[in-house]
Amino acid sequence: MHVYLVGGAVRDFLLGHPYHEKDYVVVGATPQQLLDQGYQPVGKDFPVFLHPQTKDEYALARTERKSGIGYHGFQFFTDPDVTLEDDLIRRDLTINAIAMDETSGEIFDPYGGRQDLELKLLRHVSNAFLEDPLRVLRVARFAARYFQYGFSIAPETLNLMQQLSQSGELDALTPERVWKETSRALMETHANVYFEVLHQCGALKVLFPEIEALFGVPQRPEYHPEIDCGIHTLMALQQACNAHYSLDVRYAVLVHDLGKALTPIDELPRHIMHEERGVAPVQDLSDRLKVPTQLKQLAVSVCKEHLKCHQAMTLKPGTLWRLLQRLDVLRRPERVEAFIQACECDARGRLGLEDRAYPQAEYMRKAMHIVRSIKASDLPEDIHGAEIGEMLIQYRIDALADLKQQHENNV
């Protein structure tokens, strides 16, 4: 029985990157041998075991055969005679098909993964790549992760991704799996690359048609020098990545302009009412992918209200108060902060304007602090019942009027 460290841990070890999860493959063993040594079985489709102390995953070396549609459509075979090379050839990319003997440090690289690491290439191991549609998303995610190090997708691998996108196999991916890969990609340093790759290989129009529809839609160049709505969306997303914002902010930025794809052609390049038009596609996309409710709620708010954030300093005090109310300022100030962050990314996700000042953010934060600081205890003692709520609202609007006056005096 031989045990090898495999997959991402070996890849990142060779790249000099930190890694936390370790996966192992066991060659020349049976399930009973591992059970006898105290390993705990966890795999349903094939034998995977948890180490009794470390809880790392140990999988028996296996081969696989396509037997159906999608990434679940496989039959797996394990046997002590299955070799390490047999196991590694079923993996997606050569850089993920490298194994290491942790005891001796010896590297096993039968498919040229180390050379591709040096070449900074994401290349498929074999044509079995075509059997698993999930690999389209995985390669796009790796492209996003390693973009900052100069990695690119091998042309022949991109060609296979295009074939998969056109084959109908992507339709077999479950919403949960698509969202899992996408949410991980959104948290990469260059999340925009994930969507650029999916657009390039044709997968975006299959899995994210609402986002694909933005590409080629023009905007007014005086506000959007980059012109293309799809390019603007990905530039705004990159702003969120640069600022290390949370997943909910990044998702909201990704979908904030979906309504622009629905602008009547005779109105282009203007996009009047795109905020209202965008709500339905944001909801549809979020529901289809089963996006968590918290993310969906913020995304809808950003889609519907982002222009009001851009106009914050010119809004009437009552209008600003109602905006803050809709954002649930009194109970969820963190929601307001996330909203502000997403709107700032929208403002800066424009060609040549990436470093522009966005004073609206500080103005909104001051407004949030002001309305939250006014309590019922600040009211006259003789105010009771429904009058309390009405007067609290008026106090808050008056305070926002003072803020607006102070701003105008300082301009």
Side-chain angles (χ1 to χ4, degrees):
M1 183 174 81
H2 299 279
V3 178
Y4 301 93
L5 183 67
V6 294
V10 180
R11 177 195 68 230
D12 289 340
F13 169 77
L14 293 173
L15 285 171
H17 296 168
Y19 58 90
H20 305 288
E21 294 184 3
K22 293 183 177 182
D23 294 313
Y24 296 87
V25 63
V26 183
V27 178
T30 65
Q32 190 59 49
Q33 285 178 287
L34 292 181
L35 292 172
D36 291 343
Q37 295 183 34
Y39 287 78
Q40 301 173 344
V42 294
K44 295 181 180 179
D45 299 322
F46 48 82
V48 177
F49 300 83
L50 296 182
H51 189 280
Q53 279 80 47
T54 66
K55 303 305 178 184
D56 291 328
E57 286 193 358
Y58 288 70
L60 291 179
R62 64 186 187 268
T63 60
E64 62 188 26
R65 184 178 65 194
K66 184 77 168 176
S67 59
I69 297 175
Y71 70 99
H72 281 310
F74 292 92
Q75 289 181 332
F76 298 95
F77 304 92
T78 61
D79 188 89
D81 292 332
V82 175
T83 67
L84 180 62
E85 290 79 3
D86 292 335
D87 182 272
L88 294 176
I89 199 172
R90 67 179 178 78
R91 297 176 184 267
D92 50 7
L93 298 173
T94 59
I95 64 171
N96 295 331
I98 310 172
M100 181 173 70
D101 186 319
E102 273 200 313
T103 303
S104 66
E106 184 178 1
I107 297 293
F108 297 87
D109 179 25
Y111 303 109
R114 296 186 76 172
Q115 181 180 20
D116 284 342
L117 285 176
E118 294 176 4
L119 294 173
K120 297 182 171 32
L121 272 183
L122 302 175
R123 191 196 309 271
H124 63 284
V125 178
S126 73
N127 280 341
F129 184 95
L130 285 169
E131 297 178 352
D132 187 354
L134 185 63
R135 290 177 172 177
V136 172
L137 298 181
R138 281 178 53 82
V139 174
R141 179 165 59 83
F142 283 126
R145 173 177 297 178
Y146 295 112
F147 177 80
Q148 61 186 316
Y149 303 109
F151 275 75
S152 61
I153 301 173
E156 59 270 28
T157 301
L158 185 61
N159 180 58
L160 294 186
M161 294 169 67
Q162 291 169 338
Q163 290 183 46
L164 268 172
S165 299
Q166 296 167 6
S167 69
E169 282 269 346
L170 294 179
D171 295 331
L173 294 174
T174 64
E176 292 85 357
R177 205 66 182 93
V178 174
W179 174 246
K180 181 177 180 180
E181 290 295 326
T182 301
S183 62
R184 293 177 69 183
L186 280 168
M187 294 310 295
E188 298 290 355
T189 306
H190 290 275
N192 59 304
V193 173
Y194 174 79
F195 296 97
E196 288 172 0
V197 169
L198 295 182
H199 173 61
Q200 188 177 4
C201 74
L204 196 64
K205 65 183 176 183
V206 177
L207 299 173
F208 306 91
E210 297 88 349
I211 299 173
E212 172 70 24
L214 292 172
F215 287 91
V217 177
Q219 302 171 100
R220 294 173 65 181
E222 63 267 36
Y223 297 114
H224 287 275
E226 73 288 347
I227 299 178
D228 189 285
C229 288
I231 293 174
H232 161 63
T233 291
L234 298 190
M235 290 182 70
L237 176 58
Q238 188 54 44
Q239 288 291 318
C241 297
N242 293 345
H244 306 290
Y245 286 150
S246 61
L247 176 61
D248 55 344
V249 172
R250 298 186 192 204
Y251 179 68
V253 172
L254 175 69
V255 300
H256 79 280
D257 264 352
L258 293 188
K260 288 183 177 179
L262 302 177
T263 299
I265 293 177
D266 60 353
E267 293 182 13
L268 296 174
R270 303 178 69 193
H271 291 278
I272 300 170
M273 295 183 63
H274 75 274
E275 314 95 282
E276 290 82 359
R277 287 192 181 105
V279 171
V282 169
Q283 292 175 330
D284 290 344
L285 176 61
S286 301
D287 292 343
R288 189 173 69 250
L289 295 184
K290 300 185 179 180
V291 172
T293 300
Q294 177 180 329
L295 273 68
K296 175 185 173 181
Q297 289 175 345
L298 176 65
V300 169
S301 294
V302 172
C303 172
K304 191 175 182 179
E305 313 274 15
H306 63 273
L307 288 190
K308 291 186 178 65
C309 188
H310 299 337
Q311 301 162 351
M313 295 178 291
T314 59
L315 293 179
K316 293 179 180 179
T319 302
L320 180 55
W321 160 246
R322 287 188 289 275
L323 170 62
L324 291 170
Q325 264 193 316
R326 290 193 295 274
L327 295 173
D328 207 3
V329 63
L330 299 180
R331 294 187 305 170
R332 304 177 69 179
E334 70 281 357
R335 168 65 61 81
V336 182
E337 176 60 30
F339 171 82
I340 294 169
Q341 291 173 356
C343 294
E344 186 169 15
C345 292
D346 170 38
R348 290 180 171 160
R350 310 178 190 210
L351 187 63
L353 302 175
E354 294 87 349
D355 298 319
R356 74 192 301 189
Y358 191 70
Q360 295 93 327
E362 188 58 31
Y363 189 88
M364 285 285 291
R365 292 185 180 108
K366 287 181 179 179
M368 173 173 62
H369 174 74
I370 286 171
V371 300
R372 285 180 53 81
S373 67
I374 297 174
K375 310 290 186 183
S377 58
D378 298 321
L379 304 182
E381 293 183 357
D382 59 345
I383 300 299
H384 302 287
E387 292 181 333
I388 294 177
E390 295 174 2
M391 184 165 286
L392 272 175
I393 291 174
Q394 191 57 54
Y395 269 43
R396 287 165 177 152
I397 292 175
D398 290 344
L400 291 176
D402 291 341
L403 173 66
K404 189 174 189 296
Q405 187 62 54
Q406 291 171 14
H407 169 73
E408 292 174 349
N409 291 342
N410 291 330
V411 171

